[in-house]
């Protein structure tokens, strides 16, 4: 009985941690992240959840940009810059984007 109780508590703690995981949409809406001119996400808040999310998203974006660059015979930096422009254009009202001057602006 005691083992069952311990397993139940562990399962519930794992579920609650998973349920509290930060999503990109949540981070954008909460002003934790912003889209940069260079096509990558920037952490505007420096907490562990935000930093981990930004690292994960940027790693995936970098891989995607690399594949697109190779298949289109373009420099990766150019692909990232074009993606950054599109991501900024698509940002929703209230989300942070990096202006041409490098300052953060709430759209």
């Amino acid at each position: 009985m005691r083992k069952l109780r311990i397993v139940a508590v562990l399962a519930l703690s794992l579920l609650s941690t998973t349920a509290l995981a930060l999503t990109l949409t949540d981070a954008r809406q909460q002003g934790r992240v912003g889209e940069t001119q260079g096509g990558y996400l920037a952490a505007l808040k420096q907490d562990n959840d935000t930093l981990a999310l930004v690292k994960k998203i940027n790693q995936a974006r970098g891989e995607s940009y690399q594949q697109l660059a190779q298949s289109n015979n373009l420099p990766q930096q150019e692909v990232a810059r074009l993606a950054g422009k599109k991501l900024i254009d698509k940002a929703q009202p209230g989300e942070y984007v990096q202006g041409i001057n490098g300052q953060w602006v709430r759209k």
Side-chain angles (χ1 to χ4, degrees):
M1 185 68 174
R2 185 167 187 232
K3 285 183 182 180
L4 182 60
R5 206 175 300 161
I6 292 170
V7 170
V9 169
L10 283 173
L12 285 174
S13 67
L14 288 174
L15 287 174
S16 63
T17 302
T18 304
L20 295 176
L22 184 64
T23 66
L24 180 54
T25 301
D26 291 340
R28 284 177 172 156
Q29 291 173 348
Q30 295 170 14
R32 293 174 168 214
V33 298
E35 292 294 346
T36 68
Q37 295 285 330
Y40 290 94
L41 203 58
L44 302 179
K45 306 287 184 198
Q46 300 299 308
D47 60 278
N48 289 339
D49 289 342
T50 301
L51 294 172
L53 177 69
V54 167
K55 182 178 178 181
K56 178 181 166 187
I57 296 293
N58 284 342
Q59 183 176 7
R61 286 184 182 182
E63 292 169 6
S64 177
Y65 297 161
Q66 180 63 37
Q67 290 174 352
L68 286 167
Q70 286 176 345
S71 64
N72 291 289
N73 201 24
L74 292 169
Q76 182 177 345
Q77 191 173 21
E78 179 66 14
V79 173
R81 189 188 63 76
L82 291 169
K85 183 176 179 347
K86 285 186 178 183
L87 288 164
I88 287 171
D89 289 344
K90 287 175 41 177
Q92 299 298 308
E95 296 178 356
Y96 283 93
V97 297
Q98 188 180 42
I100 296 171
N101 61 1
Q103 298 295 312
W104 291 106
V105 180
R106 193 168 217 155
K107 202 166 177 189

